[in-house]
Every structure is written in structure tokens, then in C-alpha cells.
Amino acid sequence: MGKTRVSIRDVARESGVSLTTVSLVLNKNDARISEATRERVLDAIQRLDYTPSRLARGLPNRQSKTLAILVPALQHAFADVYFGEIISGIYEAAAERGFRIMLEVARRDYVKRREYLTVLDDCSVDGILFIGASEEHTWLQDFHGTDRPLLVVNNHFTQWDLHRVECDYQQAGRLAADYLTDMGHTRIGHISGPIDKVLTTADLTTAFIERLTERGTRLADQLIVDGKLHVEFGKLACEELLQRDPAITAIFASNDKMALGAYQAIREAGKKPGQDVSVMGCDDIATARLAEPGLTTISMNFLNVGAESCRSLLDLIKTQTGRSKNNAGVNGATNGTVPAESLRVDRRLPVELIERASVQRV
Amino acid sequence: MGKTRVSIRDVARESGVSLTTVSLVLNKNDARISEATRERVLDAIQRLDYTPSRLARGLPNRQSKTLAILVPALQHAFADVYFGEIISGIYEAAAERGFRIMLEVARRDYVKRREYLTVLDDCSVDGILFIGASEEHTWLQDFHGTDRPLLVVNNHFTQWDLHRVECDYQQAGRLAADYLTDMGHTRIGHISGPIDKVLTTADLTTAFIERLTERGTRLADQLIVDGKLHVEFGKLACEELLQRDPAITAIFASNDKMALGAYQAIREAGKKPGQDVSVMGCDDIATARLAEPGLTTISMNFLNVGAESCRSLLDLIKTQTGRSKNNAGVNGATNGTVPAESLRVDRRLPVELIERASVQRV
DNA sequence: TGTGTCTAGTAAAATGTTTTACTGAGGGGG
DNA sequence: CCCCCTCAGTAAAACATTTTACTAGACACA
């Protein structure tokens, strides 16, 4: 006892049937198994307290039922609401379909040793979800135009053709512009993200400016300041804006953290945020609701982004393994290139205006 | 081509040796392999771009070279500096030894279905690191006095005998008391954590009070307020303290977040934190350094806690699998109970005072 | 010459599944 | 009575490794 774990073989013996039968019952390929036999097998499984081994299960069809979440090697990658929320969403969707989640960090030597490929070849993982991508991650090129199941979460690239799922940042920009205009603001400042590095934040800013222009408001270049998506820099950016044009009536920040930084700057300038200067954020993080006054913002629903990303990747994996079974060994030279039939995942998820108390009608 | 991945068999054929030889080279069990042969094998591996399959590797000796990080189902479990830092530490130490990390969330049905056991039986994972444990997690009982490789990170329990690694919160409490006393403070307020729920925070508070008493300062019960380890509640707690005794000269908060909340409360009361009221925190999170004035605090070095936890668990796993090989099938009835020889991991890591500008000498 | 030991390997079993291709029994139609 | 079909199930191959136990040959020693 204790020497070896209970295996499918033991179950077979215990219930007096063959291995195959047990396996069929286990996988709900019940079609040709009689009710009586099935009962018997299920019974034995229960009696022996049998759990099929994932390792052994994955071996025959080379899949581990595991997904990797890959994050860049930032200071506090996991200590971030944004990542946290997306990861939670991914976790939920994966669990729904019986998949597990691995965590990988794209550190320097991880990338140099091309571990992101190993981890797939390895059978450690059936697919990769990459959060926090930016233009700097040139190694993503290894996935450009290939079959490899990697999906970029909430980001996209102009130069590479990769699977992706993201919030509709352009819609978000338009919503913000419309709302501020509707509330009567024309003298507006904007705290942007790092436009040159992160495409999503560039989308947001561009769409915001364009829609403002359409509605007859011109946003001067000098009233756009980069807040680097952080509270502290958001505060600094806001100070800058208030100095450049003290008559500003509203500020749109590309995320809530910077908007909350703006609150601080406005207070320190002796004014009241949401009253003397209206503030609008983006993301709808938890503290946006708790802030005083409640921050009007655009909900990106990151939890949902994570979940939908995960579902898309899972679908992708399913159709891929399905396909490769049909034409196995048929076409010789498709090594790495995409078959014409294969589709890129490219989804944009809707966003939503959340009206609270930080924007005043003027 | 493309039909099947390159296996150890291909390497063997390519280099004209047996499977065994390749395997031996691969596992650095080189002892009885000649230099020439090894070169040949290594060469073939390179030529064929061969990667051993983790799945197949784990099968024979039933280990996956993977660890699970288990976190409680909190609101934003992953959106927390604390978790983030520890996870980063774990990741690093695991990577060092070639282990991968899985993420698991102890949701309600995860616990009900006892997935935390399945995941081990399953061979999905060789061990579990549990972060964020609290008295509510009664299912930990399933690990009490067993061989199962679970380690509690930065928490402990009175009722169960579990492997654990944590910071020395008692030392932290004493350091804080000593420092404030040395700086001449005798009129002190304390913002605690939820003492009844989290043992570590109770340790901290108890040691703080005791050492203060030893040094001749009595901390009145009414000058201890629970700040629930959050910024917002820390602020509230501080307001409460300032009301109960406006002559307080220093406040010790059980973590940095609450200390920063205290900064806000002090400011809103028209006073200057670090000048009119000294503030001391605990944890040394990144923002403690960036705050104005820089927060004097106690560094818990969570990154290190994560790394050391991981190392301890890995050691545990190694000695366990080593041991089970020796006495396999010898003693019949040890089903689940601990052999006398097996040791509990129980480590306390040193903490360190970080002096900045938030405590004034009086 | 016989015995023993060391070196550099190798053959084969074992790990726990899934899946493919087969089989024997029973029944219906011609 | 023979042929074919379906039903319920099984045997065996495949998956990619590790590990154990064995061996052929070289050499030393008595």
C-alpha cells in the first residue's frame, strides 16, 4: 500500500471490465456502453477513490489542458489592478472548461532562451495569453503568421498579425468626447498614456481628439500631457495642465489612476475636483466608485476581457487540434505557415459610460 | 512531416546510440557515458531541435515539476501589492530550479470539490503554496498532520500543524516599539489589522504593545483601532485616533497602506504628517519610499518571503520523494499519518527597520 | 587459464492513459 | 441455412520518457 497510486487498471479489475471500457465511461464516450456496465464502473471508481492522472491523460494526444498567462517583467506586474482583474477573468473562463492556468513572466532570459516556444513544444501548455504587450516585445514576431496558439490580450500591433481580443478603446474615446461635449465643456485638457508605446492608449487619445473636433472643439497639443498611466505622473501631468491653461473646465484622463492623481493636483491647487474642474477617467477600477466625488468613467470590464480572451483562445485550440487530425501528413510543406482556412481571432469588446459625480454641467 | 514531434527516439537514431544513452545524457547522469558519445548525442539534439516533453517526463516518476500558488477568493486577489510581490518571489525561486507555477483560486466550489487534493493526486502539481490564509479556511484541516506538500506562506495557525514560512512579525512589533521609544514618543496611537482573523497581524500588535510596556509606555486600549489593512479604513482609523486623543505624537500602523491613509487623515485635520504627528508603517511597499514625507517603516521583504517559501517547499518535496523510494511498500499502515522522521517546515524570516522622514524626534 | 572488476553502454519494463481496429453474440432478412 | 448488421465490449498499439537490470569487452591478477 502506498507503493503505487490507483490507476485505471485497478478500476478495470475491480469492476470486471476492460481498460477501454473504463476510459470510455470516463470520457463520456458512452455511446456503446450499457447502462449497467457504466454504473458498475462508476461504482468502482468511487469505491477506489480514483482520480485520472493529468500527466498520463495528456500524453496520447499531446495536450496538457493548461494555458499560460504571460506577463511582461514589470516592477510589480502582479501588483496591479489591471492585471489582477484580467487574470481573474481568465481563471474563471479556463476553470469553466476544465483548463488550468500557468504563470509565466517574460524576463530577459525567458525571452532569450525562447521559453515561450519551449513551453508549447514541451506540452507544458496548450496555448498562451499575453497581457501587457507593448511595441518593445519584438519577440512576438516569432508568432507572426504562425499556427502557434498565442493570443494578445487587450493590445494589438500594426506590424504583426496576431490573435487578439481587446476593449474598444476608440469607442471609449468617442464616448468621453461626446459626454464632455454634451455637458457643455469646450475648454478641455487631456492626460494621455504613453502613446508611442501602447497602441490601445493611442487609439483612445486619437478617437477622443477626433470626436471632439467633429463636435467643434479643438484640443490644443499643449493641453495633452503624458501621465504614463500612473497616479503620481497623472498628478504631475494635471499640475502641468492647470499651469498651461488655468481656465480649463474639464480633464479627461486615459485611465482612472491618473484621474485620481488629477484629483490630488486639483485639490492642492486649492480647487475642488468635480466642481471647479470636472474630471473623467477610463477603466472603472474599484476605487473609482469609492473616490470623493465618485469618478465618472468608462467601464472596460477587464474581467470580461480576460474571460473572453480565454474563451477565444480555447476555441482556437479546439479547432486547431481538430483540423490537424484530418490532414495529418497530407500536405508536406505547411511548416509554420498559416493554412488559408485558418482565421485570426480579432475581437473588440464593447465599453460603457459610467456616470458618477465628477463631471459638472457648464 | 509535421505528423509527429521529434522524440528521444529520433535523437537516438540520428546519433546511433540507444534511448537509454540519450536519456542519461539529457539528465546529466553522465557518469558512465564517454565524452565522445555525449558530444554526438548533444550534437544530434541540436540538429533536430529536440525538446523533451514534460508530460512524458513526468509520467514515470509521477511528478510534473510544477507548483501551485493558491490564493483565497478575495475581490481583487491578484490586484494587490502584497500578493504580487510574494508571487514574484515564488516565481523566481521556482524558475531557478526548473519548476513552473500554476495559479489556483480557492473559490467556494474549488474547496467543496476538494480540488486542492485532486490537483495533487492528479499529478498536475507537486506541491502547493498557500498565500493569504486566514482562520476561515477550515479546509486546511485536510493537510493537518499529513504528508501532503502544502506550505502556508506568511501565516500560521494554532489549531493545525502545517508547514510554514513567514516574516518575524513579533520582531517587527518590537522594532517599531523600540524605535518610537528611542525617538522620545510616549503618547502613541496604533492602527492595527483584523487581530481576530489574521494571526500574523495579531503577533505584530501584541509584540508592539508588550515591548512598549517593557519600555515604560502604556498603550491604552482605546488608542488601538482596526484599520482592516486598507488605505481607506486606515484613514478612518486615524481620524478616530486623533479625535480620541488630539495630543498623540506618533502613530504606528500595521501596514504601509494604512499608514498612508493616516497621512491623508492628518492632512485633512490641518496637520503635517511626519512633523506634527509622526507616522510609522510596516511592509515597505514601493509607495512608502515615494510618499511625502518618505515613510519610516519595517521591511518585510515579501519578495524574499515568496522565494524562501518556494525553496522550502521544493526541499520538502525532494526529501519526500527520496524517502518514499527507500521504504516503498515496507510499512503498511502509515496511510496519511506523518512518519516520525519527517520534519515540519517552520521558518521565521528576519525583518529590518527602514528609517525615512516620517518620524520626528521629540 | 580462470576469475574478478571495471567501462560503456543497451534491452526491456514501467508509467497511465487514449484510440483504433477488431470480435463474438444475437437477430433479422432472404 | 447463410449473410450481414448492430450491439457491447476488448486487445493491443501508441504516446515519450525514466530506470533497472543486464552484457560484451578490456584488462588485471594469481
Side-chain angles (χ1 to χ4, degrees):
Chain A
M1 149 133 294
K3 170 144 196 170
T4 165
R5 40 176 279 124
V6 20
S7 83
I8 200 174
R9 195 158 263 114
D10 301 313
V11 177
R13 193 177 322 115
E14 175 82 7
S15 53
V17 298
S18 72
L19 294 191
T20 315
T21 307
V22 179
S23 175
L24 291 175
V25 169
L26 234 45
N27 295 312
K28 309 240 158 50
N29 268 356
D30 288 273
R32 18 191 249 275
I33 305 295
S34 75
E35 189 59 25
T37 312
R38 220 195 48 204
E39 290 279 300
R40 220 144 35 100
V41 172
L42 256 24
D43 226 60
I45 287 177
Q46 190 124 53
R47 252 200 318 282
L48 298 178
D49 189 24
Y50 163 72
T51 323
S53 151
R54 270 203 170 215
L55 240 39
R57 257 190 158 175
L59 197 47
N61 36 26
R62 292 194 208 91
Q63 62 166 352
S64 56
K65 291 269 187 185
T66 306
L67 259 32
I69 295 182
L70 187 56
V71 301
L74 300 171
Q75 281 291 61
H76 295 279
F78 301 115
D80 190 290
V81 208
Y82 172 70
F83 284 89
E85 201 102 345
I86 291 182
I87 292 177
S88 301
I90 293 174
Y91 182 87
E92 252 168 82
E96 248 169 38
R97 304 224 207 155
F99 271 69
R100 298 246 153 85
I101 293 296
M102 310 216 64
L103 220 51
E104 308 263 313
V105 181
R107 319 169 140 273
R108 197 187 306 280
D109 67 321
Y110 182 92
V111 170
K112 202 161 60 195
R113 280 158 36 208
R114 298 202 164 182
E115 285 269 7
Y116 48 88
L117 295 184
T118 311
V119 100
L120 288 171
D121 292 344
D122 210 38
C123 299
S124 285
V125 138
D126 302 334
I128 302 179
L129 290 159
F130 188 30
I131 321 180
S134 84
E135 300 277 304
E136 297 155 15
H137 300 121
T138 51
W139 51 270
L140 279 172
Q141 179 180 347
D142 286 349
F143 291 86
H144 168 67
T146 69
D147 252 0
R148 294 192 242 271
L150 173 138
L151 187 147
V152 175
V153 183
N154 210 26
N155 254 106
H156 67 264
F157 295 91
T158 45
Q159 67 270 51
W160 302 304
D161 181 30
L162 304 170
H163 300 290
R164 74 190 209 229
V165 170
E166 60 183 349
C167 324
D168 195 335
Y169 279 91
Q170 303 193 358
Q171 198 202 339
R174 290 191 294 266
L175 280 177
D178 280 339
Y179 182 69
L180 289 178
T181 309
D182 288 346
M183 294 296 273
H185 294 277
T186 53
R187 210 140 177 184
I188 298 173
H190 176 47
I191 305 177
S192 77
I195 295 179
D196 47 327
K197 286 194 198 137
V198 186
L199 274 183
T200 49
T201 210
D203 280 356
L204 179 63
T205 294
T206 309
F208 179 65
I209 298 173
E210 275 180 15
R211 177 55 62 97
L212 274 189
T213 313
E214 282 169 37
R215 300 283 305 256
T217 301
R218 209 182 140 266
L219 185 59
D221 276 355
Q222 65 152 355
L223 292 186
I224 303 174
V225 182
D226 183 358
K228 301 183 183 174
L229 302 175
H230 281 299
V231 189
E232 292 84 4
F233 293 105
K235 184 181 164 196
L236 257 52
C238 183
E239 286 169 3
E240 190 69 33
L241 284 176
L242 291 174
Q243 207 166 29
R244 291 187 186 171
D245 183 355
I248 269 176
T249 64
I251 289 175
F252 173 52
S254 288
N255 76 9
D256 289 345
K257 288 194 211 159
M258 298 193 295
L260 295 176
Y263 270 30
Q264 291 179 30
I266 293 168
R267 280 213 182 86
E268 289 184 12
K271 298 183 178 177
K272 288 202 171 159
Q275 222 159 305
D276 304 324
V277 183
S278 292
V279 178
M280 187 163 175
C282 185
D283 285 359
D284 194 28
I285 63 178
T287 39
R289 189 166 46 77
L290 299 170
E292 240 323 289
L295 181 67
T296 292
T297 186
I298 291 162
S299 166
M300 296 309 214
N301 206 344
F302 290 133
L303 203 99
N304 185 48
V305 174
E308 286 302 321
S309 298
C310 184
R311 292 195 189 105
S312 285
L313 181 61
L314 253 20
D315 290 345
L316 203 65
I317 291 169
K318 199 159 62 181
T319 68
Q320 259 186 26
T321 58
R323 191 152 41 66
S324 79
K325 194 172 289 179
N326 294 336
N327 58 8
V330 173
N331 46 359
T334 47
N335 194 352
T337 53
V338 185
E341 11 145 10
S342 102
L343 277 180
R344 286 280 131 178
V345 173
D346 183 3
R347 300 173 56 192
R348 225 143 307 179
L349 305 177
V351 299
E352 188 189 357
L353 182 83
I354 307 286
E355 200 173 355
R356 298 207 177 90
S358 66
V359 177
Q360 203 73 14
R361 183 176 296 280
V362 293
Chain B
M1 148 134 294
K3 171 143 196 174
T4 165
R5 42 177 275 123
V6 21
S7 83
I8 200 174
R9 195 160 263 110
D10 301 313
V11 177
R13 194 177 320 116
E14 175 82 6
S15 53
V17 299
S18 72
L19 294 192
T20 314
T21 307
V22 179
S23 175
L24 291 175
V25 170
L26 234 44
N27 295 310
K28 309 241 158 53
N29 268 357
D30 289 271
R32 15 191 252 276
I33 306 295
S34 73
E35 187 58 27
T37 313
R38 218 192 52 202
E39 289 279 300
R40 220 146 33 100
V41 171
L42 256 24
D43 226 60
I45 288 177
Q46 190 125 52
R47 254 201 316 282
L48 298 178
D49 189 22
Y50 162 71
T51 324
S53 150
R54 266 201 174 217
L55 240 38
R57 254 188 162 177
L59 195 47
N61 36 26
R62 294 192 208 92
Q63 63 167 349
S64 56
K65 291 269 187 185
T66 306
L67 258 32
I69 295 181
L70 187 56
V71 301
L74 300 170
Q75 280 293 61
H76 295 279
F78 301 115
D80 191 290
V81 209
Y82 172 70
F83 284 90
E85 201 102 347
I86 292 182
I87 292 177
S88 300
I90 293 174
Y91 182 87
E92 251 167 84
E96 247 169 38
R97 303 226 207 156
F99 271 68
R100 299 245 152 86
I101 293 297
M102 310 216 62
L103 222 49
E104 309 263 313
V105 181
R107 317 168 143 274
R108 196 187 306 280
D109 67 321
Y110 182 92
V111 170
K112 202 161 59 195
R113 280 158 34 208
R114 299 201 164 184
E115 285 269 7
Y116 47 87
L117 295 183
T118 310
V119 99
L120 288 171
D121 292 344
D122 205 46
C123 298
S124 286
V125 138
D126 301 334
I128 302 179
L129 290 159
F130 188 30
I131 320 179
S134 85
E135 301 277 306
E136 298 154 15
H137 300 121
T138 52
W139 51 271
L140 278 172
Q141 179 179 347
D142 285 349
F143 292 87
H144 168 67
T146 69
D147 252 2
R148 296 192 240 271
L150 174 137
L151 186 147
V152 176
V153 183
N154 210 26
N155 254 106
H156 66 264
F157 295 91
T158 45
Q159 69 269 51
W160 303 304
D161 181 29
L162 304 170
H163 300 290
R164 75 189 208 230
V165 170
E166 60 184 349
C167 324
D168 195 335
Y169 279 92
Q170 303 192 0
Q171 198 202 339
R174 290 191 294 266
L175 280 178
D178 279 339
Y179 183 70
L180 290 178
T181 308
D182 289 345
M183 295 296 273
H185 294 276
T186 53
R187 209 142 178 183
I188 298 172
H190 175 47
I191 305 176
S192 78
I195 296 179
D196 47 326
K197 285 194 198 137
V198 186
L199 273 183
T200 49
T201 210
D203 280 355
L204 180 63
T205 294
T206 308
F208 179 65
I209 298 174
E210 275 180 14
R211 178 54 63 98
L212 274 188
T213 312
E214 283 170 36
R215 301 284 306 257
T217 301
R218 212 186 134 262
L219 185 60
D221 277 354
Q222 66 151 357
L223 290 187
I224 303 174
V225 181
D226 184 357
K228 300 182 183 174
L229 302 176
H230 281 299
V231 189
E232 292 84 3
F233 293 105
K235 183 180 164 195
L236 258 51
C238 184
E239 287 169 3
E240 190 68 33
L241 283 177
L242 291 175
Q243 208 166 29
R244 292 189 185 168
D245 183 356
I248 268 176
T249 64
I251 289 175
F252 172 52
S254 289
N255 76 8
D256 289 345
K257 289 194 210 158
M258 299 193 294
L260 295 176
Y263 270 30
Q264 291 177 30
I266 292 168
R267 282 214 181 84
E268 289 183 11
K271 297 183 178 177
K272 288 201 171 157
Q275 223 159 305
D276 304 323
V277 183
S278 292
V279 178
M280 187 163 175
C282 185
D283 284 0
D284 195 28
I285 63 177
T287 40
R289 190 166 46 78
L290 300 170
E292 239 325 287
L295 181 68
T296 292
T297 186
I298 291 161
S299 166
M300 296 308 211
N301 206 345
F302 290 133
L303 203 98
N304 186 48
V305 174
E308 286 302 321
S309 299
C310 184
R311 291 195 190 105
S312 285
L313 181 62
L314 253 21
D315 289 346
L316 203 64
I317 291 169
K318 198 157 64 182
T319 68
Q320 258 186 25
T321 58
R323 192 155 38 68
S324 77
K325 195 171 286 178
N326 293 338
N327 58 8
V330 174
N331 46 359
T334 47
N335 194 352
T337 52
V338 185
E341 12 144 8
S342 102
L343 278 179
R344 287 279 130 179
V345 174
D346 183 3
R347 299 173 58 192
R348 226 143 307 179
L349 305 177
V351 300
E352 187 190 358
L353 181 82
I354 307 287
E355 199 173 356
R356 297 206 178 91
S358 67
V359 176
Q360 204 73 13
R361 183 178 295 279
V362 293

